[in-house]
Amino acid sequence: ELKVEQNPLFLSMQEGKNYTIYCNYSTTSDRLYWYRQDPGKSLESLFVLLSNGAVKQEGRLMASLDTKARLSTLHITAAVHDLSATYFCAVSLWADKLIFGTGTRLQVFP
Amino acid sequence: EAEVAQSPRYKITEKSQAVAFWCDPISGHATLYWYRQILGQGPELLVQFQDESVVDDSQLPKDRFSAERLKGVDSTLKIQPAELGDSAMYLCASRDRQETQYFGPGTRLLVL
């Protein structure tokens, strides 16, 4: 059974600081997604990582994928309050079935 | 920008009643998904359609849940009878050719 684990589960960080969220998964997959969810809202697609070594960046967020280590990271640079949300990674199985991680709740304070 | 539409946005019902949720995917997206998200957890797939055919419903509690996508466009998810443990957010998503899933706003269900 595929397991997707994220850490930390909760992250409280000061504006301007850097931090990394980790996503580990237990079986082979060549496709990994990152989503953002604001409280009470739906999921917004952030990144799709399709191959080993893939790196994508959008604003203050950068995601990477190491399929050999079964690890993806979401790096936050110089955090701002608007980044406060819950971040989910999801691993794709056959027929594009997504298995979501536990989520990381990020709170950025002044 | 095209979006996945869902209705209703909120639903309060009593246990043992029937509820139904509707989803209209982004035009041209052949693959449609229904997920359930319990508060504080990640979404879990209930059912996946490719056009009008079910691809995966292994996690769908078939004694009380049903889903259909008769014409391969919009879809309905039904629960009958609803139980207290069904309280959750029900999310619909559709997938484009680049294999990204786009999620609708969700239906928040509360069973009393």
Side-chain angles (χ1 to χ4, degrees):
Chain A
E1 179 185 349
L2 172 63
K3 292 186 178 180
V4 183
E5 296 181 341
Q6 289 181 234
N7 71 82
L9 298 182
F10 299 97
L11 177 56
S12 182
M13 59 189 297
Q14 194 173 17
E15 282 188 331
K17 299 294 186 181
N18 305 331
Y19 208 85
T20 300
I21 299 171
Y22 297 88
C23 173
N24 292 88
Y25 53 99
S26 62
T27 194
T28 302
S29 176
D30 59 359
R31 202 167 298 152
L32 188 135
Y33 301 79
W34 284 96
Y35 286 88
R36 167 182 172 145
Q37 187 175 39
D38 290 297
K41 300 297 180 74
S42 190
L43 282 81
E44 173 191 355
S45 177
L46 294 175
F47 300 107
V48 181
L49 303 170
L50 299 177
S51 61
N52 186 43
V55 177
K56 289 194 174 179
Q57 183 166 5
E58 181 73 32
R60 301 176 187 274
L61 301 178
M62 183 174 69
S64 66
L65 177 62
D66 182 342
T67 58
K68 295 180 181 179
R70 299 177 184 172
L71 170 69
S72 180
T73 62
L74 181 66
H75 186 72
I76 303 159
T77 301
V80 294
H81 179 72
D82 286 351
L83 290 179
S84 298
T86 298
Y87 293 85
F88 290 96
C89 64
V91 175
S92 175
L93 293 181
W94 57 273
D96 293 303
K97 176 177 179 177
L98 290 186
I99 306 298
F100 281 81
T102 47
T104 296
R105 185 173 175 182
L106 171 66
Q107 184 175 13
V108 181
F109 61 91
Chain B
E1 183 175 327
E3 296 179 343
V4 177
Q6 289 188 249
S7 67
R9 296 291 306 276
Y10 304 92
K11 179 70 178 178
I12 300 174
T13 190
E14 294 183 345
K15 64 179 181 178
S16 79
Q17 296 299 303
V19 293
F21 313 134
W22 177 80
C23 172
D24 191 12
I26 294 172
S27 179
H29 286 192
T31 310
L32 182 148
Y33 309 80
W34 283 101
Y35 289 87
R36 176 170 60 185
Q37 185 179 23
I38 296 170
L39 190 63
Q41 299 181 18
E44 294 182 300
L45 180 68
L46 292 174
V47 61
Q48 177 182 346
F49 289 92
Q50 180 67 29
D51 299 310
E52 67 276 7
S53 300
V54 173
V55 173
D56 184 355
D57 63 358
S58 57
Q59 300 302 311
L60 189 70
K62 299 181 187 62
D63 57 335
R64 298 185 300 108
F65 285 65
S66 64
E68 60 183 15
R69 194 184 182 198
L70 294 177
K71 297 183 179 179
V73 181
D74 59 339
S75 175
T76 302
L77 178 69
K78 297 178 181 178
I79 308 174
Q80 183 175 15
E83 295 181 353
L84 296 178
D86 296 332
S87 295
M89 173 83 90
Y90 290 83
L91 294 162
C92 179
S94 66
R95 181 170 67 87
D96 65 9
R97 295 183 186 278
Q98 279 69 47
E99 303 179 354
T100 295
Q101 293 187 24
Y102 295 92
F103 285 79
T107 296
R108 186 172 293 281
L109 173 67
L110 178 61
V111 182
L112 302 176

